[in-house]
Amino acid sequence: MPAPTDYEVFELGDLVLQQGATLRDARLAYKTYGTLDADKSNVIVHPTWYSAWHDANEWTIGPGKACDPGKYFIVAPNQLNNGLSTSPSNTPPPFNGPYFPPVTFHDQIEAQHRLLTQKWGIESLELVLGSSMGAGQAYQWAVSHPEMVKRAAPIVGSSRTSEHNQVFLKSLRAALCADPVFNGGRYSPDALPTVGLRAFARIYAGWGLSQAFYWQREYLTMGYSSLEDFLVGFWEGFWLDGRDPNNLLAMLWTWEQGDVGKTPGFDGDTEAALRSIRCPLVAMPGRTDLYFPPEDEQWASQFIPHGEVRVIDSIYGHFAGLGFYEPDNAFIDTALRELLDRPA
Amino acid sequence: MPAPTDYEVFELGDLVLQQGATLRDARLAYKTYGTLDADKSNVIVHPTWYSAWHDANEWTIGPGKACDPGKYFIVAPNQLNNGLSTSPSNTPPPFNGPYFPPVTFHDQIEAQHRLLTQKWGIESLELVLGSSMGAGQAYQWAVSHPEMVKRAAPIVGSSRTSEHNQVFLKSLRAALCADPVFNGGRYSPDALPTVGLRAFARIYAGWGLSQAFYWQREYLTMGYSSLEDFLVGFWEGFWLDGRDPNNLLAMLWTWEQGDVGKTPGFDGDTEAALRSIRCPLVAMPGRTDLYFPPEDEQWASQFIPHGEVRVIDSIYGHFAGLGFYEPDNAFIDTALRELLDRPA
């Protein structure tokens, strides 16, 4: 599936990044679902996961679901660097490709805050949810703008990227960069480093799903006929299909550096940042997630005044929170519904 | 630590491999500890793990330990392809380097069987133990020569390499081969594909130890000052230090194909092969091992008539069975002692 084209663009203007550089004439691609109420009190924000576009969130949205567009105005902002919003791949020289400056989770949320406040005058969010890197953005929203966020639901993600998770990310980077075609990011868009991307895909394949998923050969139920068919057909296909390597590395940096303690004002103190979250927050890690394990969310939850952890009891590993398996989706939808029903 | 030089060599002659090729004038490097009794009834065999040499087994050997050289004659055969025994790196053309034929676990044990029977006339083994790929060899011994093996102790390994484990191995191969210096295995020994080896190392770093190991920053207790210091100093250092890439890929193939059901006579039936094991077998997986998880060993154990599983309750992941952490070593030594004390 190539990148979707059904989105709008908000002109962010110049965005001064946390690390000091400026994104000039930056743009945020987004899609909305439903209608904004007159009193602007029905807003849900749902940022995107690593490498994904807004359409990857649509499994959570629909009539009768927690995120019902008949009731809520749902905004799905594409994270910077995902190829639709301002990214290495669509920025002209001199900040193009490998010369694009690093973007933090804090920067992502500042861009989204501009969209919501400047375009619509929104001052309050009924819910911020997100999966994986989207969960990191949900945490960041709750820490950066506690005055706006009434409920948060980070799914298969974390408030701080653990060192083990960082090792996984570093291995992805090392494999992609080992391909000589990558050439320090100075490849041609017409000749991508496909050998490196295929190695990247095979690393991801081991981490993304669980031991039990492969033991039970669940890929057969997804329409793949063998392990190799799944590795090439699904995994290599996914990363070769419209994913720009410099964009991937830029998002990887955001992920690797993830830590709400790095929010301005907290001086690196993750626990203090978690303590500052005012709203109810329901974290949903997957029981068999290999890089965002439930323990990390249980650790964070102890510091969040109204924090709670609901573990998705699934063998789909990280994918338990990405909309791939109906029972997991139903579990998440139920939790979101209960959270939205709670007075804030 | 470069390859050790304190070993002897047994001339295997011509070894016809399971896949059809012949290793001509093959050699098996080994080291022995202790003295063979007159009645040849005190033999322990301890094969090597992936990439390791015999010296990596020495943490199990010593006065007062289960494997006491004052009591037992302990033979540590270096697996074919590890650089000391016949391997891609030490074989002359035309079977050198990438042209070296594939070796199965069955072939490994046939080579070791020749050493024991032809050199010493040994007919009975008190114990076969091994960690990781050494565990695969212990299983293979118990299946290939049930008439000889009186006890077996596979540690952090399995009787059949799971598909999830295979994905990990395929990712290692893809990353190493992405380095153009690798050149299909036709690199110069003086110019190794170090970029690919470093990517290989970073992948391994995530898999080899557990989430909890990194969360608790256990590498600090091993003398490393930061995550990056550990990744470069320990992991990249390990794989850059005398490990030949073609040897690594040859051993990877053995591991990936591991399955006692592929033993001649079993026609791929893993369960039947496990049922054929006559001796007591104590499997010791690590609780947090990411690629040889305890479930795989519990699955296998149900078919082994005298099978038992003792889980090493450790946060050292796969390393729980490699001699890195004293409490894990003590757990294993106790289990080995109890097994050796059992009448066979």
Side-chain angles (χ1 to χ4, degrees), chain B residues 183-235:
Chain B
N183 189 27
R186 299 177 300 280
Y187 52 84
S188 156
D190 302 324
L192 293 176
T194 58
V195 170
L197 282 166
R198 286 177 190 267
F200 185 104
R202 285 181 179 239
I203 298 170
Y204 228 115
W207 289 108
L209 297 155
S210 76
Q211 292 94 346
F213 176 94
Y214 284 103
W215 184 273
Q216 298 187 27
R217 306 186 77 193
E218 277 290 314
Y219 52 78
L220 297 176
T221 69
M222 294 167 69
Y224 298 92
S225 53
S226 70
L227 179 62
E228 190 66 16
D229 190 50
F230 182 56
L231 292 177
V232 178
F234 179 82
W235 282 102

Short mmCIF file of all heavy atoms in Angstrom, two decimals, chain B residues 183-235:
data_model
loop_
_atom_site.label_atom_id
_atom_site.label_comp_id
_atom_site.label_asym_id
_atom_site.label_seq_id
_atom_site.Cartn_x
_atom_site.Cartn_y
_atom_site.Cartn_z
N ASN B 183 31.08 -9.27 -0.16
CA ASN B 183 31.26 -9.69 -1.56
C ASN B 183 30.96 -11.16 -1.79
O ASN B 183 31.74 -11.89 -2.39
CB ASN B 183 32.72 -9.35 -1.97
CG ASN B 183 32.95 -9.53 -3.46
OD1 ASN B 183 32.03 -9.42 -4.26
ND2 ASN B 183 34.19 -9.85 -3.81
N GLY B 184 29.83 -11.60 -1.30
CA GLY B 184 29.45 -12.99 -1.51
C GLY B 184 30.39 -13.99 -0.84
O GLY B 184 30.45 -15.15 -1.24
N GLY B 185 31.10 -13.53 0.18
CA GLY B 185 32.03 -14.41 0.89
C GLY B 185 33.44 -14.39 0.30
O GLY B 185 34.34 -15.05 0.83
N ARG B 186 33.64 -13.63 -0.77
CA ARG B 186 34.94 -13.60 -1.44
C ARG B 186 35.74 -12.37 -1.00
O ARG B 186 36.28 -11.62 -1.81
CB ARG B 186 34.76 -13.63 -2.96
CG ARG B 186 34.05 -14.89 -3.45
CD ARG B 186 33.80 -14.90 -4.95
NE ARG B 186 32.97 -13.79 -5.38
CZ ARG B 186 31.63 -13.74 -5.28
NH1 ARG B 186 30.97 -14.76 -4.79
NH2 ARG B 186 30.96 -12.69 -5.69
N TYR B 187 35.76 -12.15 0.31
CA TYR B 187 36.54 -11.05 0.89
C TYR B 187 37.97 -11.53 1.14
O TYR B 187 38.25 -12.74 1.11
CB TYR B 187 35.88 -10.59 2.20
CG TYR B 187 35.62 -11.73 3.15
CD1 TYR B 187 36.61 -12.21 4.01
CD2 TYR B 187 34.38 -12.38 3.15
CE1 TYR B 187 36.37 -13.29 4.84
CE2 TYR B 187 34.14 -13.45 3.99
CZ TYR B 187 35.14 -13.91 4.82
OH TYR B 187 34.92 -14.98 5.63
N SER B 188 38.83 -10.58 1.42
CA SER B 188 40.20 -10.94 1.80
C SER B 188 40.28 -11.08 3.31
O SER B 188 39.68 -10.28 4.04
CB SER B 188 41.16 -9.85 1.32
OG SER B 188 42.34 -9.87 2.11
N PRO B 189 41.02 -12.08 3.81
CA PRO B 189 41.17 -12.21 5.26
C PRO B 189 41.80 -10.97 5.90
O PRO B 189 41.67 -10.73 7.09
CB PRO B 189 42.10 -13.42 5.43
CG PRO B 189 42.15 -14.08 4.11
CD PRO B 189 41.77 -13.09 3.06
N ASP B 190 42.46 -10.18 5.08
CA ASP B 190 43.08 -8.96 5.60
C ASP B 190 42.15 -7.76 5.57
O ASP B 190 42.52 -6.68 6.05
CB ASP B 190 44.34 -8.62 4.77
CG ASP B 190 45.33 -9.76 4.78
OD1 ASP B 190 45.44 -10.41 5.84
OD2 ASP B 190 45.97 -10.00 3.75
N ALA B 191 40.97 -7.93 4.97
CA ALA B 191 40.03 -6.81 4.89
C ALA B 191 38.63 -7.38 5.10
O ALA B 191 37.88 -7.61 4.16
CB ALA B 191 40.14 -6.12 3.53
N LEU B 192 38.29 -7.59 6.36
CA LEU B 192 37.00 -8.20 6.70
C LEU B 192 35.87 -7.18 6.54
O LEU B 192 36.09 -5.98 6.62
CB LEU B 192 37.04 -8.72 8.14
CG LEU B 192 37.99 -9.89 8.38
CD1 LEU B 192 38.00 -10.26 9.86
CD2 LEU B 192 37.60 -11.10 7.54
N PRO B 193 34.65 -7.68 6.33
CA PRO B 193 33.49 -6.79 6.24
C PRO B 193 33.07 -6.29 7.62
O PRO B 193 32.08 -6.75 8.19
CB PRO B 193 32.42 -7.69 5.60
CG PRO B 193 32.81 -9.07 6.00
CD PRO B 193 34.31 -9.08 6.06
N THR B 194 33.83 -5.36 8.15
CA THR B 194 33.62 -4.94 9.54
C THR B 194 32.33 -4.16 9.73
O THR B 194 31.75 -4.18 10.82
CB THR B 194 34.80 -4.08 10.04
OG1 THR B 194 34.94 -2.96 9.17
CG2 THR B 194 36.09 -4.87 10.05
N VAL B 195 31.88 -3.46 8.69
CA VAL B 195 30.60 -2.73 8.83
C VAL B 195 29.47 -3.74 9.02
O VAL B 195 28.61 -3.57 9.88
CB VAL B 195 30.36 -1.83 7.60
CG1 VAL B 195 28.93 -1.28 7.60
CG2 VAL B 195 31.38 -0.70 7.57
N GLY B 196 29.49 -4.80 8.22
CA GLY B 196 28.47 -5.85 8.36
C GLY B 196 28.60 -6.58 9.69
O GLY B 196 27.59 -6.90 10.33
N LEU B 197 29.82 -6.83 10.12
CA LEU B 197 30.03 -7.51 11.41
C LEU B 197 29.54 -6.64 12.57
O LEU B 197 29.00 -7.15 13.56
CB LEU B 197 31.51 -7.86 11.60
CG LEU B 197 31.99 -9.09 10.83
CD1 LEU B 197 33.52 -9.16 10.82
CD2 LEU B 197 31.42 -10.39 11.43
N ARG B 198 29.72 -5.34 12.44
CA ARG B 198 29.24 -4.45 13.52
C ARG B 198 27.71 -4.40 13.55
O ARG B 198 27.11 -4.33 14.62
CB ARG B 198 29.83 -3.04 13.36
CG ARG B 198 31.31 -2.97 13.74
CD ARG B 198 31.87 -1.56 13.50
NE ARG B 198 33.32 -1.52 13.64
CZ ARG B 198 33.97 -1.22 14.78
NH1 ARG B 198 33.27 -0.94 15.87
NH2 ARG B 198 35.28 -1.22 14.82
N ALA B 199 27.09 -4.44 12.38
CA ALA B 199 25.62 -4.50 12.35
C ALA B 199 25.14 -5.82 12.95
O ALA B 199 24.20 -5.87 13.75
CB ALA B 199 25.11 -4.35 10.92
N PHE B 200 25.81 -6.89 12.56
CA PHE B 200 25.57 -8.23 13.11
C PHE B 200 25.65 -8.18 14.65
O PHE B 200 24.78 -8.70 15.36
CB PHE B 200 26.66 -9.13 12.53
CG PHE B 200 26.61 -10.59 12.83
CD1 PHE B 200 26.17 -11.49 11.86
CD2 PHE B 200 27.08 -11.11 14.03
CE1 PHE B 200 26.17 -12.86 12.10
CE2 PHE B 200 27.08 -12.47 14.28
CZ PHE B 200 26.63 -13.35 13.30
N ALA B 201 26.66 -7.52 15.15
CA ALA B 201 26.87 -7.41 16.60
C ALA B 201 25.71 -6.67 17.28
O ALA B 201 25.26 -7.05 18.36
CB ALA B 201 28.18 -6.68 16.89
N ARG B 202 25.23 -5.61 16.64
CA ARG B 202 24.14 -4.82 17.26
C ARG B 202 22.83 -5.59 17.25
O ARG B 202 22.02 -5.44 18.16
CB ARG B 202 24.02 -3.47 16.57
CG ARG B 202 25.15 -2.57 17.01
CD ARG B 202 25.19 -1.18 16.47
NE ARG B 202 26.36 -0.58 17.08
CZ ARG B 202 26.35 0.51 17.86
NH1 ARG B 202 25.25 1.18 18.04
NH2 ARG B 202 27.46 0.93 18.43
N ILE B 203 22.61 -6.38 16.21
CA ILE B 203 21.42 -7.23 16.22
C ILE B 203 21.53 -8.23 17.38
O ILE B 203 20.61 -8.40 18.19
CB ILE B 203 21.27 -7.98 14.89
CG1 ILE B 203 21.09 -7.00 13.72
CG2 ILE B 203 20.08 -8.94 14.95
CD1 ILE B 203 21.18 -7.66 12.35
N TYR B 204 22.70 -8.87 17.45
CA TYR B 204 22.91 -9.89 18.49
C TYR B 204 22.75 -9.30 19.89
O TYR B 204 22.23 -9.95 20.81
CB TYR B 204 24.31 -10.49 18.33
CG TYR B 204 24.34 -12.00 18.38
CD1 TYR B 204 24.72 -12.73 17.27
CD2 TYR B 204 23.97 -12.69 19.53
CE1 TYR B 204 24.73 -14.12 17.30
CE2 TYR B 204 23.99 -14.07 19.57
CZ TYR B 204 24.37 -14.78 18.45
OH TYR B 204 24.39 -16.14 18.48
N ALA B 205 23.19 -8.07 20.06
CA ALA B 205 23.14 -7.43 21.38
C ALA B 205 21.72 -7.35 21.92
O ALA B 205 21.48 -7.51 23.12
CB ALA B 205 23.75 -6.03 21.30
N GLY B 206 20.76 -7.10 21.03
CA GLY B 206 19.37 -7.02 21.48
C GLY B 206 18.80 -8.38 21.84
O GLY B 206 18.03 -8.51 22.79
N TRP B 207 19.20 -9.39 21.08
CA TRP B 207 18.67 -10.73 21.29
C TRP B 207 19.34 -11.48 22.42
O TRP B 207 18.72 -12.30 23.10
CB TRP B 207 18.79 -11.57 20.01
CG TRP B 207 17.85 -11.13 18.93
CD1 TRP B 207 18.17 -10.47 17.78
CD2 TRP B 207 16.43 -11.30 18.90
NE1 TRP B 207 17.04 -10.22 17.04
CE2 TRP B 207 15.96 -10.73 17.70
CE3 TRP B 207 15.51 -11.89 19.77
CZ2 TRP B 207 14.61 -10.72 17.36
CZ3 TRP B 207 14.17 -11.88 19.43
CH2 TRP B 207 13.73 -11.30 18.24
N GLY B 208 20.64 -11.27 22.60
CA GLY B 208 21.43 -12.11 23.50
C GLY B 208 21.10 -11.92 24.97
O GLY B 208 21.28 -12.84 25.78
N LEU B 209 20.63 -10.73 25.32
CA LEU B 209 20.34 -10.43 26.72
C LEU B 209 18.90 -9.94 26.81
O LEU B 209 18.27 -9.65 25.80
CB LEU B 209 21.33 -9.39 27.23
CG LEU B 209 22.78 -9.90 27.22
CD1 LEU B 209 23.77 -8.76 27.11
CD2 LEU B 209 23.07 -10.75 28.45
N SER B 210 18.40 -9.85 28.00
CA SER B 210 16.96 -9.60 28.14
C SER B 210 16.65 -8.12 28.30
O SER B 210 17.53 -7.29 28.56
CB SER B 210 16.42 -10.35 29.34
OG SER B 210 16.81 -9.68 30.53
N GLN B 211 15.36 -7.81 28.20
CA GLN B 211 14.87 -6.46 28.48
C GLN B 211 15.31 -6.03 29.88
O GLN B 211 15.79 -4.92 30.07
CB GLN B 211 13.33 -6.42 28.41
CG GLN B 211 12.75 -6.64 27.02
CD GLN B 211 12.40 -8.09 26.76
OE1 GLN B 211 12.80 -8.98 27.51
NE2 GLN B 211 11.65 -8.35 25.69
N ALA B 212 15.15 -6.94 30.85
CA ALA B 212 15.47 -6.60 32.24
C ALA B 212 16.97 -6.37 32.43
O ALA B 212 17.39 -5.52 33.22
CB ALA B 212 14.99 -7.71 33.18
N PHE B 213 17.80 -7.12 31.69
CA PHE B 213 19.25 -6.92 31.77
C PHE B 213 19.60 -5.48 31.43
O PHE B 213 20.37 -4.82 32.14
CB PHE B 213 19.96 -7.87 30.80
CG PHE B 213 21.45 -7.68 30.72
CD1 PHE B 213 22.31 -8.43 31.51
CD2 PHE B 213 22.00 -6.74 29.85
CE1 PHE B 213 23.69 -8.25 31.43
CE2 PHE B 213 23.37 -6.56 29.77
CZ PHE B 213 24.21 -7.31 30.57
N TYR B 214 19.01 -4.98 30.34
CA TYR B 214 19.32 -3.61 29.93
C TYR B 214 18.64 -2.60 30.85
O TYR B 214 19.19 -1.54 31.16
CB TYR B 214 18.92 -3.38 28.47
CG TYR B 214 19.88 -4.01 27.49
CD1 TYR B 214 19.59 -5.20 26.84
CD2 TYR B 214 21.11 -3.41 27.22
CE1 TYR B 214 20.47 -5.77 25.94
CE2 TYR B 214 22.01 -3.97 26.33
CZ TYR B 214 21.69 -5.15 25.69
OH TYR B 214 22.57 -5.73 24.80
N TRP B 215 17.42 -2.91 31.28
CA TRP B 215 16.71 -1.98 32.17
C TRP B 215 17.52 -1.75 33.44
O TRP B 215 17.65 -0.63 33.92
CB TRP B 215 15.32 -2.54 32.53
CG TRP B 215 14.51 -1.61 33.36
CD1 TRP B 215 14.52 -1.49 34.72
CD2 TRP B 215 13.59 -0.62 32.89
NE1 TRP B 215 13.65 -0.51 35.12
CE2 TRP B 215 13.06 0.05 34.02
CE3 TRP B 215 13.15 -0.24 31.60
CZ2 TRP B 215 12.12 1.07 33.91
CZ3 TRP B 215 12.22 0.78 31.51
CH2 TRP B 215 11.71 1.42 32.64
N GLN B 216 18.11 -2.82 33.95
CA GLN B 216 18.91 -2.71 35.18
C GLN B 216 20.36 -2.31 34.90
O GLN B 216 21.16 -2.24 35.82
CB GLN B 216 18.86 -4.04 35.95
CG GLN B 216 17.45 -4.40 36.38
CD GLN B 216 17.39 -5.63 37.28
OE1 GLN B 216 18.34 -5.95 37.97
NE2 GLN B 216 16.25 -6.31 37.27
N ARG B 217 20.67 -2.12 33.63
CA ARG B 217 22.02 -1.72 33.21
C ARG B 217 23.09 -2.65 33.81
O ARG B 217 24.10 -2.20 34.37
CB ARG B 217 22.29 -0.26 33.59
CG ARG B 217 21.21 0.70 33.04
CD ARG B 217 21.56 2.16 33.30
NE ARG B 217 22.59 2.63 32.37
CZ ARG B 217 23.26 3.78 32.52
NH1 ARG B 217 23.03 4.54 33.57
NH2 ARG B 217 24.15 4.13 31.64
N GLU B 218 22.83 -3.94 33.67
CA GLU B 218 23.76 -4.93 34.23
C GLU B 218 25.15 -4.83 33.62
O GLU B 218 26.13 -5.29 34.20
CB GLU B 218 23.21 -6.34 34.01
CG GLU B 218 22.18 -6.80 35.02
CD GLU B 218 22.79 -7.04 36.40
OE1 GLU B 218 23.85 -7.70 36.50
OE2 GLU B 218 22.18 -6.56 37.38
N TYR B 219 25.24 -4.23 32.42
CA TYR B 219 26.56 -4.13 31.78
C TYR B 219 27.51 -3.28 32.62
O TYR B 219 28.73 -3.40 32.48
CB TYR B 219 26.43 -3.57 30.36
CG TYR B 219 25.65 -2.28 30.27
CD1 TYR B 219 26.22 -1.06 30.61
CD2 TYR B 219 24.32 -2.28 29.85
CE1 TYR B 219 25.51 0.12 30.54
CE2 TYR B 219 23.59 -1.12 29.77
CZ TYR B 219 24.19 0.09 30.12
OH TYR B 219 23.47 1.25 30.06
N LEU B 220 26.96 -2.45 33.50
CA LEU B 220 27.84 -1.67 34.38
C LEU B 220 28.64 -2.59 35.29
O LEU B 220 29.82 -2.34 35.57
CB LEU B 220 27.02 -0.69 35.22
CG LEU B 220 26.26 0.40 34.45
CD1 LEU B 220 25.40 1.23 35.42
CD2 LEU B 220 27.21 1.31 33.69
N THR B 221 28.00 -3.69 35.72
CA THR B 221 28.69 -4.63 36.61
C THR B 221 29.72 -5.45 35.84
O THR B 221 30.56 -6.11 36.44
CB THR B 221 27.70 -5.61 37.28
OG1 THR B 221 27.19 -6.51 36.28
CG2 THR B 221 26.55 -4.88 37.93
N MET B 222 29.63 -5.41 34.49
CA MET B 222 30.59 -6.15 33.67
C MET B 222 31.77 -5.25 33.26
O MET B 222 32.62 -5.67 32.48
CB MET B 222 29.89 -6.70 32.42
CG MET B 222 28.84 -7.77 32.72
SD MET B 222 27.76 -8.13 31.27
CE MET B 222 28.93 -8.94 30.15
N GLY B 223 31.77 -4.01 33.76
CA GLY B 223 32.91 -3.14 33.49
C GLY B 223 32.72 -2.20 32.32
O GLY B 223 33.68 -1.58 31.84
N TYR B 224 31.47 -2.04 31.84
CA TYR B 224 31.21 -1.10 30.75
C TYR B 224 30.52 0.14 31.32
O TYR B 224 29.68 0.02 32.22
CB TYR B 224 30.40 -1.77 29.64
CG TYR B 224 31.19 -2.93 29.05
CD1 TYR B 224 31.04 -4.22 29.55
CD2 TYR B 224 32.14 -2.69 28.07
CE1 TYR B 224 31.82 -5.27 29.05
CE2 TYR B 224 32.92 -3.73 27.57
CZ TYR B 224 32.76 -5.01 28.06
OH TYR B 224 33.54 -6.02 27.58
N SER B 225 30.85 1.30 30.77
CA SER B 225 30.43 2.55 31.41
C SER B 225 29.15 3.15 30.85
O SER B 225 28.61 4.09 31.42
CB SER B 225 31.57 3.57 31.30
OG SER B 225 31.99 3.70 29.96
N SER B 226 28.69 2.64 29.72
CA SER B 226 27.45 3.15 29.12
C SER B 226 26.95 2.11 28.14
O SER B 226 27.65 1.15 27.80
CB SER B 226 27.70 4.47 28.39
OG SER B 226 28.47 4.23 27.21
N LEU B 227 25.73 2.33 27.65
CA LEU B 227 25.18 1.42 26.65
C LEU B 227 26.09 1.36 25.42
O LEU B 227 26.42 0.28 24.93
CB LEU B 227 23.77 1.88 26.26
CG LEU B 227 23.06 1.04 25.19
CD1 LEU B 227 22.86 -0.39 25.67
CD2 LEU B 227 21.73 1.68 24.81
N GLU B 228 26.49 2.51 24.92
CA GLU B 228 27.33 2.53 23.72
C GLU B 228 28.68 1.86 23.99
O GLU B 228 29.21 1.14 23.13
CB GLU B 228 27.51 3.97 23.23
CG GLU B 228 28.15 4.10 21.86
CD GLU B 228 27.30 3.55 20.71
OE1 GLU B 228 26.08 3.33 20.89
OE2 GLU B 228 27.87 3.32 19.62
N ASP B 229 29.22 2.09 25.17
CA ASP B 229 30.49 1.45 25.54
C ASP B 229 30.34 -0.07 25.50
O ASP B 229 31.24 -0.78 25.02
CB ASP B 229 30.90 1.91 26.94
CG ASP B 229 32.31 1.50 27.32
OD1 ASP B 229 33.23 1.75 26.52
OD2 ASP B 229 32.50 0.94 28.42
N PHE B 230 29.20 -0.56 25.96
CA PHE B 230 28.93 -2.00 25.97
C PHE B 230 28.74 -2.52 24.54
O PHE B 230 29.28 -3.58 24.18
CB PHE B 230 27.67 -2.25 26.80
CG PHE B 230 27.27 -3.70 26.95
CD1 PHE B 230 28.15 -4.65 27.45
CD2 PHE B 230 25.98 -4.11 26.60
CE1 PHE B 230 27.76 -5.98 27.61
CE2 PHE B 230 25.59 -5.43 26.75
CZ PHE B 230 26.48 -6.37 27.25
N LEU B 231 28.01 -1.76 23.72
CA LEU B 231 27.74 -2.21 22.35
C LEU B 231 29.02 -2.30 21.53
O LEU B 231 29.22 -3.25 20.77
CB LEU B 231 26.73 -1.29 21.67
CG LEU B 231 25.31 -1.34 22.24
CD1 LEU B 231 24.41 -0.33 21.53
CD2 LEU B 231 24.71 -2.74 22.12
N VAL B 232 29.88 -1.31 21.67
CA VAL B 232 31.13 -1.34 20.91
C VAL B 232 32.15 -2.24 21.61
O VAL B 232 32.72 -3.15 21.00
CB VAL B 232 31.70 0.08 20.71
CG1 VAL B 232 33.02 0.03 19.95
CG2 VAL B 232 30.70 0.97 19.97
N GLY B 233 32.35 -1.98 22.92
CA GLY B 233 33.42 -2.67 23.64
C GLY B 233 33.20 -4.16 23.76
O GLY B 233 34.13 -4.94 23.52
N PHE B 234 32.01 -4.54 24.13
CA PHE B 234 31.75 -5.97 24.27
C PHE B 234 31.28 -6.59 22.95
O PHE B 234 31.93 -7.49 22.43
CB PHE B 234 30.70 -6.22 25.37
CG PHE B 234 30.37 -7.68 25.53
CD1 PHE B 234 31.18 -8.50 26.30
CD2 PHE B 234 29.28 -8.25 24.88
CE1 PHE B 234 30.91 -9.86 26.43
CE2 PHE B 234 28.99 -9.61 25.00
CZ PHE B 234 29.81 -10.41 25.78
N TRP B 235 30.17 -6.09 22.41
CA TRP B 235 29.52 -6.79 21.30
C TRP B 235 30.29 -6.68 19.99
O TRP B 235 30.54 -7.68 19.31
CB TRP B 235 28.08 -6.27 21.12
CG TRP B 235 27.17 -6.88 22.15
CD1 TRP B 235 26.71 -6.29 23.29
CD2 TRP B 235 26.65 -8.21 22.15
NE1 TRP B 235 25.93 -7.17 23.99
CE2 TRP B 235 25.87 -8.36 23.31
CE3 TRP B 235 26.77 -9.29 21.27
CZ2 TRP B 235 25.20 -9.55 23.62
CZ3 TRP B 235 26.10 -10.47 21.57
CH2 TRP B 235 25.33 -10.59 22.74
#
